[in-house]
Amino acid sequence: MPTPARTSVENLIETARQILEAEGLEGLTMQRVAAEVGVRAPSLYKHVRNRADLIRLVTEDVARQLTKLVERAASTGDPATDLRSIARGFRSFAHTNPGAYGLIFGPLADEWRTAPETLATGTEALIRSTSALAGPDHALEAARTVVAWAHGFVSMELAGAFRMGGDVDDAFEFGLERIIDALSAGERRT
Amino acid sequence: MPTPARTSVENLIETARQILEAEGLEGLTMQRVAAEVGVRAPSLYKHVRNRADLIRLVTEDVARQLTKLVERAASTGDPATDLRSIARGFRSFAHTNPGAYGLIFGPLADEWRTAPETLATGTEALIRSTSALAGPDHALEAARTVVAWAHGFVSMELAGAFRMGGDVDDAFEFGLERIIDALSAGERRT
DNA sequence: ACCTGAACACCGTTCAAGT
DNA sequence: ACCTGAACACCGTTCAAGT
């Protein structure tokens, strides 16, 4: 006798993400998710392969959202302006979704790492800006410099690593301007 | 009847660190550590409070080692040279101790985060260099820029996030020179 | 003073049995 | 076609009992 599903992958992903933000990755258990959607843990295995698979799906969801944000931030055509929007958007995304953000580049098991394609369009938007700023020869290296700095900054910030006083917002803006400067300087020199 | 301890905190920390590098954080279980040192899991609780405590001790050990490395790298007195040494030393430490490195700024539970003091002397060495390079007014912000970039770069690298081709070593050197440039440029301008 | 087995509460996961 | 309880192997942790 076929019975209609009481939940769905989408529902599981959304629920998992809420739990992740509220209680962290350790709190994201199959039993917790099951309880939240109103079934027993074994039922989840009709919808996802296992816990790692569920986490991977959440990560992909997050990566898609971040990518869309970056894509939209790079819209004026002026590379420095776009880079500022991208960096600030990146940071504010991390602030509002700290748990989700930790999944993307975190030192986590290979199993739930997101595929390169998911982040591709966001990367393209970034490279477009750095290409205009640092020249096409250094576009990729410049993009890596920007994203490394931005990711490092927000991940340290979220980890509570900036504990020597000083205004953290100011430090972010300082770094952003200096890096944009440095990349444009490179272009002028070439 | 007092019996001599068959293990010690130091022994546990060292063993835990080996397991961490070999099998990742999930593989670092109390039973695994106990088996490795030749006792049963409950015995570990005579030496550490619990698993989180053991991980915290490992983190502190790692932080101390990294700090010492940074401290020693900054030795020539020339800020740009010292910054290069610090950044490269930082990166090579992460490469040889990827599991341990992940503990320091990772998006991990508060319980095993290391105390600020442990990283203090390394931070001082870094700030000395950035102060000479970017001026004392921006020393802290400049140090945050450098460390954010370096940490972001190596953590993305370790996470396998640089998947668009290009030479990753070159990207590191590119970013390093541009950032040093940008910070010195700031000094000249003031 | 340290170590142990037994026990408890919690995981993830499988599977046969229910509807 | 989905959901369930029971079961298994694994955790971390506590504790009384051993030496």
Side-chain angles (χ1 to χ4, degrees):
Chain A
M1 194 71 79
T3 68
R6 285 219 286 269
T7 183
S8 63
V9 207
E10 291 74 27
N11 189 19
L12 294 188
I13 293 174
E14 196 188 354
T15 305
R17 205 167 146 180
Q18 281 165 11
I19 297 171
L20 175 65
E21 292 303 342
E23 313 178 25
L25 193 54
E26 330 85 272
L28 179 49
T29 70
M30 296 301 265
Q31 326 223 9
R32 186 81 178 68
V33 173
E36 205 70 37
V37 302
V39 297
R40 301 288 181 168
S43 301
L44 301 184
Y45 294 79
K46 288 287 164 187
H47 302 96
V48 296
R49 203 152 11 124
N50 49 35
R51 180 173 180 261
D53 191 40
L54 175 57
I55 294 176
R56 190 185 52 77
L57 289 167
V58 173
T59 307
E60 248 157 44
D61 191 49
V62 172
R64 241 190 313 272
Q65 198 182 334
L66 179 57
T67 282
K68 198 173 290 175
L69 183 151
V70 167
E71 216 174 341
R72 284 184 187 157
S75 55
T76 71
D78 176 59
T81 307
D82 286 353
L83 271 185
R84 284 187 196 97
S85 300
I86 291 173
R88 290 178 189 140
F90 194 85
R91 181 170 181 234
S92 90
F93 177 85
H95 284 188
T96 48
N97 308 278
Y101 182 80
L103 290 178
I104 298 186
F105 302 125
L108 302 164
D110 292 333
E111 297 159 303
W112 56 59
R113 192 159 297 144
T114 191
E117 306 85 64
T118 319
L119 290 163
T121 69
T123 313
E124 277 166 31
L126 179 63
I127 290 183
R128 224 178 299 125
S129 296
T130 57
S131 179
L133 210 60
D137 288 359
H138 294 304
L140 182 58
E141 289 167 341
R144 281 174 175 165
T145 303
V146 173
V147 75
W149 166 77
H151 166 59
F153 195 98
V154 303
S155 69
M156 289 185 70
E157 196 179 5
L158 293 180
F162 292 143
R163 287 170 293 195
M164 298 197 63
D167 190 294
V168 177
D169 290 349
D170 286 353
F172 185 83
E173 292 298 326
F174 174 89
L176 181 54
E177 293 310 320
R178 290 302 159 98
I179 283 175
I180 290 175
D181 242 44
L183 298 180
S184 342
E187 170 65 339
R188 264 179 256 125
R189 224 177 279 129
T190 309
Chain B
M1 195 72 77
T3 68
R6 284 219 286 268
T7 184
S8 63
V9 207
E10 292 74 27
N11 188 18
L12 294 187
I13 293 174
E14 197 188 353
T15 305
R17 206 168 144 178
Q18 280 164 11
I19 297 172
L20 174 65
E21 292 303 342
E23 314 179 24
L25 192 55
E26 331 85 88
L28 180 48
T29 68
M30 296 301 266
Q31 324 223 9
R32 185 83 178 69
V33 173
E36 205 69 37
V37 302
V39 297
R40 301 288 182 168
S43 301
L44 301 184
Y45 294 80
K46 286 288 163 186
H47 302 97
V48 296
R49 204 154 10 122
N50 49 35
R51 181 173 179 260
D53 191 39
L54 175 57
I55 295 177
R56 189 185 52 76
L57 289 168
V58 173
T59 307
E60 248 157 44
D61 191 48
V62 173
R64 241 189 314 269
Q65 198 181 335
L66 179 57
T67 282
K68 198 172 292 175
L69 183 151
V70 166
E71 215 174 340
R72 284 183 188 160
S75 55
T76 71
D78 176 59
T81 307
D82 285 355
L83 272 184
R84 284 187 196 97
S85 300
I86 291 174
R88 290 179 190 138
F90 194 84
R91 181 169 179 234
S92 88
F93 177 84
H95 284 188
T96 47
N97 308 277
Y101 182 81
L103 289 179
I104 298 186
F105 303 126
L108 301 165
D110 293 334
E111 295 160 306
W112 55 60
R113 191 160 296 145
T114 190
E117 305 87 63
T118 319
L119 290 163
T121 69
T123 312
E124 276 166 31
L126 180 63
I127 290 182
R128 225 178 299 125
S129 297
T130 57
S131 179
L133 210 61
D137 289 359
H138 294 304
L140 182 57
E141 289 166 340
R144 282 175 175 165
T145 302
V146 173
V147 75
W149 166 78
H151 165 60
F153 196 98
V154 303
S155 68
M156 290 185 69
E157 197 179 4
L158 293 180
F162 293 143
R163 288 170 292 195
M164 297 196 65
D167 190 294
V168 176
D169 290 347
D170 286 352
F172 186 82
E173 292 298 326
F174 174 90
L176 181 54
E177 293 311 318
R178 291 303 158 96
I179 284 174
I180 290 175
D181 242 45
L183 298 180
S184 342
E187 171 66 339
R188 265 179 256 128
R189 224 176 278 127
T190 308

